């Protein structure tokens, strides 16, 4: 099956590795635009703009693509999946209209309300005065969310009123949601959807804050682990029944069937499970651990969803091994951007048994005109390790990280620490 994957991050690299590991031939995978690491595992088209619906559809037809997988949110919001579907190409990724589940936090709240999905109270705000009034009503800690896409940086949870207001002011033009604070353990649970039914993958937990002990600013994610041994029995079935199925049914009722990956960001409160947010695609860095454990052919699962036939898909199976991933970030991330700097030691890390998923890398010529690997963004690599227990997987991941050298880089040292004890 000829597959086109759109994206250029560690999530896309993890998807490529999972496709190959579960039976897809390397020669059948094209990634656009990709990155230096992805190019080692699949053919990349760096000049193809993944956010241009006509350009992507034309390319897919020219290369006889049978399945398109959309990694990041931007192409979904741009309507790339719609353009591909109009040409009869199977797409794993929701339509522009259905992707509003991620693109608009207020739309997602409306869908949840109509579907009876449990979530926190929220108020839409268009002015800073409305934000202040809502903050006064809900009280601290303050939860402020940009209504539109903000690359994982649109949310702040803080007791600092000034910081909350500064965050709101930064995103007020796209609208703000002020929400009640929900306290509890967070869970990411992915569901494949064909627009009518769903299939759950395995739960994961990610670490959003930049520094140990969940301190520092919010990021796109600094690490993750899977499975979650502390989850109550029946949790996946409960979320499928109370969250995923009602949401997919409501989207169908609205005339915007959701075909693709429904990412449920959940929190286990004393009052029960609540939805924090939906995403319309695989989450990063959770994908790196969820798909690392997948045994079932990924291409089969995604194609069945894309073509509306999940009822004939195999039940997703996962290894008994646990998986953790630790993100290596550039100096200053997420507040400032470091210049492109060389990275060394990835092969030595892989020799320790870890899987390295590239997020922001490229080959550039140095002063001696030699091609060297450089970091080109905030989150640079995801180092993934598996093992029979979390203590072993953690040890392996951090041994791998010791081998990788990037000036000024940082990573958290407490990923999955609580479940390893």
């Amino acid at each position: 099956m000829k597959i086109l994957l759109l994206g250029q991050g560690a999530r896309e690299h993890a998807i490529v590795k999972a496709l190959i590991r579960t039976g897809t031939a390397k020669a059948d995978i094209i990634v656009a635009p990709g990155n230096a690491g992805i190019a080692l595992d699949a053919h990349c088209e760096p000049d193809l703009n993944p956010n241009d619906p006509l350009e992507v559809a034309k390319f897919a037809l020219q290369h006889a693509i049978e399945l398109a997988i959309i990694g990041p949110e931007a192409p979904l919001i741009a309507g790339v999946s719609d353009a591909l579907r109009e040409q009869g190409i199977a797409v794993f990724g929701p339509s522009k209209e259905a992707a509003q589940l991620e693109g608009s936090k207020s739309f997602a709240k409306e869908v949840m309300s109509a579907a009876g999905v449990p979530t926190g109270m929220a108020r839409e705000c268009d002015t800073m005065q409305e934000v202040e009034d809502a903050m006064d009503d809900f009280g601290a800690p303050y939860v402020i969310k940009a209504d539109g896409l903000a690359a994982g940086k649109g949310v702040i949870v803080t007791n600092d009123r000034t910081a909350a207001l500064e965050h709101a002011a930064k995103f007020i033009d796209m609208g703000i949601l002020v929400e009640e604070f929900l306290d509890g353990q967070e869970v990411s649970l992915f569901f494949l959807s064909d627009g009518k039914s769903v299939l759950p993958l395995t739960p994961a937990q990610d670490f959003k804050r930049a520094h140990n002990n969940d301190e520092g600013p919010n990021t796109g994610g600094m690490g993750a682990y899977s499975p979650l041994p502390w989850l109550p029995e029946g949790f996946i079935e409960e979320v499928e029944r109370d969250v995923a199925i009602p949401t997919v049914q409501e989207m169908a009722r609205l005339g915007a069937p959701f075909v693709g990956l429904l990412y449920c960001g959940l929190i286990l409160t004393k009052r029960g499970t609540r939805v924090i947010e939906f995403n319309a695609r695989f989450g990063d860095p959770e994908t790196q651990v969820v798909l690392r454990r997948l045994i079932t052919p990924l291409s089969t699962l995604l194609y069945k969803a894309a073509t509306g036939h999940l009822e004939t898909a195999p039940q997703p199976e996962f290894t008994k091994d646990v998986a953790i991933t630790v993100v290596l970030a550039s100096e200053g991330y997420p507040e400032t951007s470091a210049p492109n700097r060389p990275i060394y030691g990835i092969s030595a890390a892989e020799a320790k048994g870890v899987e390295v998923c590239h997020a922001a890398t490229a080959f550039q010529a140095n002063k001696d005109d030699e091609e060297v690997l450089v970091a080109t963004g905030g989150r640079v690599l995801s180092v993934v390790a598996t093992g029979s227990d979390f203590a072993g997987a953690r040890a392996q991941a951090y041994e791998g990280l010791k081998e990788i050298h990037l000036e000024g880089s940082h990573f958290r040292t407490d990923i999955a620490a609580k479940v390893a004890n």
Side-chain angles (χ1 to χ4, degrees):
M1 186 189 303
K2 289 283 284 185
I3 294 173
L4 173 63
L5 170 61
L6 300 182
Q8 59 186 348
R11 163 186 47 221
E12 286 73 38
H13 201 180
I15 291 170
V16 167
K17 287 178 178 293
L19 285 167
I20 294 167
R21 192 165 45 242
T22 60
T24 301
K26 283 187 180 185
D28 287 338
I29 305 170
I30 301 173
V31 185
N35 62 39
I38 294 173
L40 300 174
D41 288 325
H43 175 76
C44 288
E45 288 285 340
D47 297 326
L48 178 61
N49 179 359
N51 300 327
D52 185 322
L54 292 179
E55 193 180 330
V56 172
K58 183 179 176 184
F59 179 90
L61 287 171
Q62 287 173 341
H63 292 81
I65 296 299
E66 296 165 88
L67 173 65
I69 305 167
I70 300 183
E73 59 271 29
L76 297 172
I77 303 301
V80 171
S81 60
D82 304 79
L84 288 163
R85 284 194 180 96
E86 284 169 10
Q87 301 303 322
I89 295 164
V91 186
F92 186 79
S95 65
K96 181 177 182 177
E97 190 177 0
Q100 287 304 304
L101 261 187
E102 175 170 3
S104 169
K105 297 287 189 284
S106 56
F107 174 77
K109 286 289 187 184
E110 289 166 11
V111 169
M112 284 187 266
S113 176
V117 170
T119 186
M121 293 185 293
R123 191 175 302 169
E124 294 178 43
C125 303
D126 297 313
T127 67
M128 288 305 296
Q129 186 58 55
E130 290 176 354
V131 170
E132 287 202 57
D133 292 344
M135 285 169 58
D136 289 340
D137 288 346
F138 285 133
Y142 305 110
V143 182
I144 312 293
K145 294 184 179 181
D147 191 26
L149 294 178
K153 298 173 190 171
V155 180
I156 189 172
V157 181
T158 179
N159 284 301
D160 184 333
R161 185 180 178 85
T162 302
L165 288 169
E166 286 174 354
H167 183 82
K170 186 176 172 184
F171 294 105
I172 192 68
D173 288 348
M174 64 171 69
I176 293 291
L177 251 68
V178 179
E179 298 190 5
E180 69 167 320
F181 174 72
L182 298 172
D183 190 28
Q185 288 272 23
E186 292 189 24
V187 180
S188 301
L189 184 52
F190 301 163
F191 288 88
L192 309 175
S193 174
D194 63 1
K196 310 181 294 287
S197 58
V198 299
L199 269 184
L201 299 183
T202 187
Q205 185 175 68
D206 76 332
F207 294 73
K208 287 292 187 196
R209 301 284 187 166
H211 308 306
N212 284 2
N213 305 313
D214 295 326
E215 294 176 356
N218 249 15
T219 71
M222 293 299 291
Y225 70 92
S226 175
L228 310 184
W230 43 266
L231 278 177
E233 196 159 334
F235 175 82
I236 295 172
E237 293 79 5
E238 174 200 330
V239 176
E240 182 175 337
R241 181 190 68 234
D242 296 344
V243 176
I245 289 174
T247 300
V248 166
Q249 289 176 342
E250 176 61 16
M251 293 299 291
R253 191 189 69 77
L254 291 172
F258 190 96
V259 177
L261 198 291
L262 179 66
Y263 169 123
C264 299
L266 308 159
I267 189 161
L268 278 66
T269 76
K270 290 176 182 174
R271 293 179 289 153
T273 302
R274 299 286 185 270
V275 176
I276 307 171
E277 65 174 352
F278 287 130
N279 289 336
R281 37 77 200 182
F282 280 107
D284 185 341
E286 300 98 319
T287 298
Q288 287 87 300
V289 290
V290 169
L291 294 188
R292 183 65 184 86
R293 298 179 54 235
L294 182 69
I295 299 169
T296 313
L298 180 59
S299 61
T300 300
L301 292 171
L302 302 191
Y303 188 77
K304 291 286 189 183
T307 54
H309 295 295
L310 266 187
E311 78 280 357
T312 63
Q315 283 291 322
E317 280 188 71
F318 296 88
T319 68
K320 288 187 169 60
D321 277 357
V322 305
I324 87 155
T325 185
V326 183
V327 171
L328 180 77
S330 289
E331 183 178 15
Y333 175 80
E335 281 131 340
T336 58
S337 185
N340 292 3
R341 290 170 176 163
I343 313 165
Y344 305 103
I346 290 176
S347 294
E350 289 172 330
K352 299 273 177 140
V354 299
E355 182 174 272
V356 178
C357 297
H358 291 235
T361 60
F363 283 106
Q364 285 184 358
N366 64 11
K367 62 180 185 297
D368 298 321
D369 217 27
E370 300 166 328
E371 288 278 296
V372 295
L373 187 70
V374 298
T376 59
R379 291 189 296 170
V380 180
L381 303 168
S382 287
V383 174
V384 188
T386 58
S388 58
D389 57 48
F390 283 108
R394 274 176 49 78
Q396 188 180 49
Y398 287 110
E399 280 297 311
L401 275 159
K402 281 181 189 173
E403 301 293 333
I404 300 173
H405 303 283
L406 169 63
E407 182 190 339
S409 63
H410 63 99
F411 57 86
R412 283 183 58 160
T413 60
D414 62 346
I415 304 300
K418 288 179 181 174
V419 290
N421 297 328

